[in-house]
Amino acid sequence: MVSGEMRLAEKRSLRDSVIVVTGASSGIGLATTRQLVGIGSKVVAAARRADRLESLVSELGEDRVAAYPYDVNAQEQAQGLIDKAIAVFGRCDSLVACAGFGAYGGILDHTDEFLESMILTNIGGTVWPVRAAVRHFLEGGGGDIVIVASVAGLRGGGNEAVYASTKFAQVGLAGALDRELRTKGIRVSAICPAGVKTEFAIGYGRSAGDPGLDDLLQPEDVADAIVTVLEQPRRMRTTLWTMWSMAEQS
């Protein structure tokens, strides 16, 4: 037995930390927003569905959540994420990029228009807010970027080729940014869950009410991982975190 004082893992307090969350109106983004507010953070909740954002503000309080109706495909709106955080809460400390969608099926199973939308949303919708955040963090001496990707970005399955390609892009972006920005005080993490019980791909390879969805990860599981990464002391960083339910084969 090793003698000496037992030391618990250090956690960085996120109380009053200002965090932008994209895709905040549903799924992982919604669960993340709720968990962050629950520990005292302030959140700019960004998503296309303004009605859901307003409901979220009513639920959690306008002193803790600011709604930013946001189309991730609109490059010119990305800087507004940071501007909103500064205008309402005085600063921006972190970005959590959750916005995106997917579909299951073979390479020929969806229209060109649908696949183009998925590519633009998942890749461009991550790149544009990240660029806005990096500009701000470089001026302020550092910050955190968490990109919610997928295990599909590490080994694509046979029924998700185009979706997997967008997730490979997110994982590559996170890894490259980590190497580029680490010495400038900016931490970049990729969170890569397997199947999660969300609205993801409902109607595009998943069916609402499918009992198999209950065996998947819950949005709160992924949100907890995001919060854990943000709470790590500044001396360390998590670059890649994969997550699986017990029911799925890795």
Side-chain angles (χ1 to χ4, degrees):
M1 181 175 180
V2 178
S3 61
E5 182 181 355
M6 179 182 294
R7 295 183 59 186
L8 299 177
E10 179 184 342
K11 285 189 175 183
R12 189 170 65 99
S13 174
L14 296 180
R15 175 165 291 279
D16 293 329
S17 185
V18 180
I19 302 167
V20 172
V21 179
T22 68
S25 65
S26 64
I28 295 168
L30 175 59
T32 300
T33 298
R34 286 173 170 155
Q35 286 201 27
L36 287 170
V37 170
I39 60 174
S41 302
K42 299 176 181 179
V43 177
V44 173
R48 289 180 300 170
R49 293 173 285 196
D51 57 334
R52 291 196 180 189
L53 294 180
E54 293 304 327
S55 296
L56 189 58
V57 172
S58 297
E59 173 193 339
L60 300 176
E62 61 182 14
D63 60 326
R64 288 289 161 183
V65 179
Y68 183 69
Y70 174 54
D71 179 358
V72 296
N73 291 321
Q75 301 176 30
E76 69 278 5
Q77 293 183 17
Q79 182 59 44
L81 293 165
I82 307 302
D83 294 342
K84 182 74 170 184
I86 294 171
V88 178
F89 299 125
R91 65 181 192 279
C92 179
D93 301 308
S94 305
L95 167 70
V96 180
C98 289
F101 69 93
Y104 295 111
I107 188 66
L108 300 179
D109 286 345
H110 299 288
T111 67
D112 294 347
E113 293 76 16
F114 177 85
L115 294 179
E116 180 182 36
S117 179
M118 182 166 61
I119 291 167
L120 292 174
T121 298
N122 292 0
I123 301 177
T126 303
V127 170
W128 309 132
V130 163
R131 279 167 57 87
V134 168
R135 292 189 192 100
H136 178 70
F137 295 157
L138 287 175
E139 293 175 357
D144 285 299
I145 296 170
V146 179
I147 296 172
V148 179
S150 169
V151 294
L154 304 173
R155 56 105 191 96
N159 65 339
E160 56 184 14
V162 178
Y163 169 73
S165 73
T166 68
K167 294 298 168 175
F168 267 88
Q170 287 182 313
V171 172
L173 174 67
L177 286 174
D178 170 71
R179 297 175 186 92
E180 175 184 342
L181 300 172
R182 173 186 58 82
T183 59
K184 298 176 175 64
I186 300 175
R187 304 190 298 187
V188 184
S189 304
I191 305 293
C192 296
V196 183
K197 186 181 179 181
T198 68
E199 297 175 6
F200 170 90
I202 294 296
Y204 296 100
R206 280 189 185 174
S207 299
D210 183 346
L213 296 178
D214 293 332
D215 294 329
L216 302 180
L217 296 168
Q218 300 298 306
E220 292 76 16
D221 299 328
V222 186
D224 185 65
I226 293 168
V227 171
T228 297
V229 165
L230 293 174
E231 287 180 327
Q232 289 175 334
R234 298 298 302 180
R235 67 173 178 272
M236 66 179 293
R237 71 198 198 279
T238 293
T239 57
L240 180 68
W241 186 340
T242 62
M243 306 172 64
W244 295 83
S245 71
M246 291 296 286
E248 286 189 280
Q249 181 176 353
S250 61

